[in-house]
Amino acid sequence: GDACQVCANTRNAPNTGVKKDPRWWTEAGRFLHTLAPGALFTADDLVDLIGLPDGSPNQVGACVRAWAAGDHINAHGYTESKRPSNHGRVVRVWRKA
């Protein structure tokens, strides 16, 4: 909602070159809110649960960066991606603040 700081930060994420999928961003905010403090996750977990946004998939990274910039999450290491399309590349593990 309007008072939600996570939603406020993600609405203003530095993603000026890409049209946002408002439905996806709302679902992403819900994903973050459902995590317990200290919970670990990757962008793969987010995509596995709610899918990719309409338009550019770059919105996933923009959303996660906005959460990090807003101190809602902190970097917690790296792991290999489990998504077949990522071919085992390394992805950041995040911890909910």
Side-chain angles (χ1 to χ4, degrees):
D2 291 333
C4 175
Q5 291 302 308
V6 173
C7 294
N9 284 338
T10 57
R11 271 190 225 112
N12 298 321
N15 192 12
T16 58
V18 174
K19 182 175 179 188
K20 287 186 181 180
D21 175 356
R23 178 207 52 83
W24 186 89
W25 283 76
T26 298
E27 290 300 314
R30 287 186 184 131
F31 166 85
L32 183 63
H33 282 295
T34 63
L35 296 177
L40 301 178
F41 72 97
T42 68
D44 285 353
D45 297 324
L46 172 61
V47 170
D48 286 346
L49 188 65
I50 68 170
L52 287 168
D54 289 338
S56 175
N58 293 347
Q59 293 176 81
V60 177
C63 180
V64 172
R65 282 189 306 278
W67 292 344
D71 293 328
H72 300 289
I73 61 174
N74 302 297
H76 188 78
Y78 297 91
T79 191
E80 286 186 9
S81 176
K82 294 179 179 90
R83 289 178 49 213
S85 62
N86 287 339
H87 304 287
R89 73 176 168 88
V90 174
V91 293
R92 170 92 61 192
V93 175
W94 297 96
R95 182 176 89 41
K96 183 175 178 187

